[in-house]
Amino acid sequence: MNLTLPHYKSVTGGWTGAALNVVTVLGVLFLLLPIVVVLVISFSADPYLRFPPSGFSLRWYRNFFFEDPTWLAAAGRSFVVATATAVLSLALGTAAAMPLARHRFPGKGGIEALLLAPLIVSPMITAIALYGLFSTVKLVGTTAALVLSHAILALPYAVMNVSVSARALDERLELAARGLGAGPATVFRRVTLPLLLPGILAGALFAFLASFDEVVVALFLSGLEPTLQKRMWDDIRLEISPTVAAASTLLVAISVLCFVGGALAASAADRRARAPARAAAP
Amino acid sequence: MSASTRSSRGLASPWLALPAVAFLLVLFVLPIGSFLVGSVLDPDFTLRNFQRLEASRAFWIVLQNTIRISVTVTLVCFLVGYPMALRIATLRPAIAAAILLVVVLSVWISLLVRNYAWMVLLGREGIVSSALVALGYAAERRSLLYNEFSVVLAMTHVLLPFMVIPVVAALRAIDPALVRAGASLGAGAGTVVRRVVFPLSLPGVATGTVLVFVLALGFYVTPAVLGGRGQMMLAMMMESEVNEQLAWGYAGAHAAVLLVVTLLIFTAYNRRFGVDRLWGGHGK
């Protein structure tokens, strides 16, 4: 079986190729195995973290779902915050993606840099700054503060994903609708929005995940009712019970679902971008 | 004609970006600005916090830790990530896509979960400790956590994709004819990689290096969870200044140092390669 692109045969043959193969296989295992270990240990019967486990049970899931109510409460809070974050960042991000993806205008580079900055600046700086802001307006611990903060971090994903769809959008379709007498609002609702849908869906799933998995801001802002990440953090700092492994497994499952959904939607958006003629056909 | 052009402009008017920009200005730029300004106002202008910073032994040690750990992680990410990227970029599309999927997916697994995984693996009852005992390398089980090794390992685990992804993109942009030419002129695999492929992939290496290094500088969760005293990093110091000492101004001085370093790196990168390279594509 030949796995290499034809023009790279010369590069990936011999010792160089063998070394590349070894590093790549080890690298992929390095990325994957720790996560697999957490999945396995979440089904452990041991009262403490031990790998490999001496037996299997569902006791840590029982603990998560039925015995310790703080876990489900935290998961519920995270779900509410992440959903609201996705809605808010998509509303702001969809609007911003339209001009950013379709036109050049002065200040565009600055706006793009501003959108990316929250992903680059240390989350601790952002978290402390937001903690300061929300302390002065007495909103620390509120869902609103968490949603507004998480939307900052989710916005770039919303804009990036909607941009892919927006670039693919054939403006002639909008012009045709205008020519047929539709008002701008109708054109947006009936033509633009449906065509942007794959990008919006992908953006929403990634924005949801960005919030659901966020730790540092939640440490400062979640107050007395922790998000799931904050609840796990507290547990890890104090006792490291295997319940965290059960919670982690659920988080990984949510990540995989959102990621696969997001990637499928994004590739649908991308396909449309590559085949604009078909979208424009009657 | 001109009317319809204008109406299409209306659907993508630059003003549509205003809500997002205003949102970020009010909730991101302004709070960080006031956090930073707080380091030189108390209530009048003062350089007290920066003088204290300069005189503090703890600060210089923590700054040293931060830079040492970030440099090590960046180096390890390059040494592992470049060969991975080269292999991925030279694979047939279907397999390459499958491997890249794993790499990108791992970015979207919760950071805390990935750090917790290392606690499980490297803890006293973890598989590494068991293996060392079983193979006779250690007399008894012991924890391999709370040291530089565990922090660098876990940070590499988190940041490796940020090296691999841009390098793959750069490698894929190389004209295959150049590679073929090198080989047909008699260069061996190692020479082609060193003299043709690597130089042409440098923009991707630069992007990966800048991303990994800058993200590492600001890390909090991994050193806090997996590190010991000797792995105290700037973000941890800021956290304790705010939460334990209530020294906002002093924390702000730390933040200023971290932000200035970040900004300098990005300015240098932008001069040479253009920041818009970071923008584009979807996902992380």
Side-chain angles (χ1 to χ4, degrees), chain A:
Chain A
M1 192 167 64
N2 199 329
L3 306 175
T4 304
L5 287 169
H7 54 274
Y8 273 116
K9 290 241 172 64
S10 60
V11 175
T12 57
W15 287 106
T16 314
L20 289 181
N21 286 339
V22 170
V23 175
T24 305
V25 170
L26 289 180
V28 170
L29 289 179
F30 170 68
L31 288 175
L32 272 187
L33 278 188
I35 295 156
V36 173
V37 165
V38 171
L39 303 192
V40 171
I41 218 164
S42 72
F43 295 100
S44 160
D46 301 320
Y48 52 88
L49 290 173
R50 177 156 135 190
F51 194 86
S54 62
F56 292 95
S57 78
L58 288 175
R59 61 188 288 192
W60 306 112
Y61 289 92
R62 218 161 36 236
N63 186 255
F64 183 95
F65 283 106
F66 305 113
E67 287 160 13
D68 183 347
T70 61
W71 284 104
L72 267 192
R77 180 123 210 251
S78 283
F79 189 83
V80 171
V81 168
T83 307
T85 299
V87 172
L88 176 59
S89 54
L90 255 295
L92 294 168
T94 303
M98 299 299 288
L100 287 175
R102 298 167 103 183
H103 295 292
R104 288 170 184 281
F105 55 90
K108 182 175 162 175
I111 294 177
E112 287 177 343
L114 177 65
L115 281 163
L116 279 185
L119 299 185
I120 304 291
V121 170
S122 169
M124 182 53 71
I125 294 179
T126 311
I128 294 176
L130 286 164
Y131 182 53
L133 172 77
F134 288 118
S135 306
T136 43
V137 292
K138 304 247 180 323
L139 283 177
V140 171
T142 62
T143 302
L146 277 171
V147 171
L148 289 170
S149 306
H150 281 177
I152 295 168
L153 302 166
L155 196 50
Y157 303 117
V159 176
M160 277 185 234
N161 283 289
V162 177
S163 289
V164 176
S165 280
R167 267 193 293 269
L169 207 156
D170 189 335
E171 287 182 32
R172 284 170 300 177
L173 294 173
E174 292 168 324
L175 293 180
R178 288 288 278 156
L180 292 169
T186 314
V187 173
F188 181 75
R189 199 164 39 85
R190 301 286 298 274
V191 179
T192 314
L193 203 56
L195 290 170
L196 290 181
L197 214 55
I200 291 179
L201 188 63
L205 289 168
F206 286 119
F208 179 93
L209 259 191
S211 162
F212 206 78
D213 286 347
E214 199 287 326
V215 198
V216 184
V217 170
L219 291 185
F220 281 85
L221 292 182
S222 61
L224 295 174
E225 297 166 56
T227 63
L228 188 50
Q229 294 284 327
K230 168 78 162 61
R231 177 70 186 80
M232 286 173 66
W233 172 268
D234 292 342
D235 206 274
I236 285 176
R237 295 317 289 267
L238 291 176
E239 46 177 349
I240 325 187
S241 80
T243 308
V244 177
S248 296
T249 303
L250 298 170
L251 277 173
V252 171
I254 289 170
S255 285
V256 171
L257 283 177
C258 285
F259 177 79
V260 171
L264 286 176
S267 80
D270 202 40
R271 260 200 311 282
R272 270 192 203 174
R274 282 165 209 276
R278 212 178 39 214

Side-chain angles (χ1 to χ4, degrees), chain B residues 73-258:
Chain B
V73 168
T74 309
L75 215 64
V76 178
C77 280
F78 170 73
L79 291 175
V80 180
Y82 194 88
M84 278 182 81
L86 183 55
R87 187 65 266 217
I88 292 169
T90 54
L91 283 171
R92 289 186 184 278
I95 320 154
I99 297 180
L100 217 51
L101 192 76
V102 172
V103 174
V104 179
L105 172 64
S106 84
V107 176
W108 287 98
I109 305 280
S110 147
L111 177 75
L112 204 50
V113 169
R114 283 180 286 163
N115 283 312
Y116 174 74
W118 289 107
M119 300 185 85
V120 175
L121 280 165
L122 299 176
R124 216 178 79 84
E125 303 292 329
I127 192 166
V128 180
S129 146
S130 317
L132 288 178
V133 172
L135 295 171
Y137 287 112
E140 56 183 27
R141 293 171 161 276
R142 72 190 179 90
S143 163
L144 298 152
L145 293 169
Y146 315 121
N147 52 45
E148 189 110 351
F149 168 75
S150 53
V151 171
V152 169
L153 195 68
M155 281 176 70
T156 303
H157 189 232
V158 172
L159 293 172
L160 184 59
F162 294 94
M163 181 68 79
V164 173
I165 295 164
V167 176
V168 169
L171 286 167
R172 282 184 171 163
I174 295 176
D175 184 351
L178 295 172
V179 180
R180 256 195 309 259
S184 66
L185 289 171
T191 314
V192 172
V193 169
R194 219 173 34 248
R195 302 285 296 274
V196 180
V197 176
F198 184 70
L200 290 171
S201 66
L202 274 178
V205 174
T207 307
T209 304
V210 164
L211 277 179
V212 170
F213 186 70
V214 165
L215 291 174
L217 285 179
F219 250 57
Y220 171 71
V221 171
T222 306
V225 168
L226 293 166
R229 236 172 226 295
Q231 287 73 46
M232 177 91 153
M233 289 174 73
L234 273 176
M236 297 168 69
M237 193 127 172
M238 267 186 260
E239 189 267 347
S240 90
E241 294 300 338
V242 167
N243 275 341
E244 285 154 35
Q245 321 290 329
L246 302 176
W248 282 78
Y250 194 41
H254 288 75
V257 171
L258 188 52

Side-chain angles (χ1 to χ4, degrees), chain B residues 16-123:
Chain B
L16 283 170
L18 185 67
V21 170
F23 181 80
L24 287 175
L25 287 179
V26 173
L27 282 153
F28 181 71
V29 177
L30 204 74
I32 289 183
S34 88
F35 178 38
L36 295 178
V37 168
S39 68
V40 289
L41 287 183
D42 186 29
D44 297 315
F45 180 80
T46 168
L47 284 176
R48 206 167 40 87
N49 285 311
F50 286 90
Q51 282 156 356
R52 197 179 144 200
L53 207 61
E54 210 241 315
S56 156
R57 222 175 93 76
F59 166 74
W60 289 105
I61 293 175
V62 167
L63 184 65
Q64 219 176 57
N65 291 344
T66 307
I67 292 172
R68 185 188 65 245
I69 292 172
S70 303
V71 168
T72 314
V73 168
T74 309
L75 215 64
V76 178
C77 280
F78 170 73
L79 291 175
V80 180
Y82 194 88
M84 278 182 81
L86 183 55
R87 187 65 266 217
I88 292 169
T90 54
L91 283 171
R92 289 186 184 278
I95 320 154
I99 297 180
L100 217 51
L101 192 76
V102 172
V103 174
V104 179
L105 172 64
S106 84
V107 176
W108 287 98
I109 305 280
S110 147
L111 177 75
L112 204 50
V113 169
R114 283 180 286 163
N115 283 312
Y116 174 74
W118 289 107
M119 300 185 85
V120 175
L121 280 165
L122 299 176

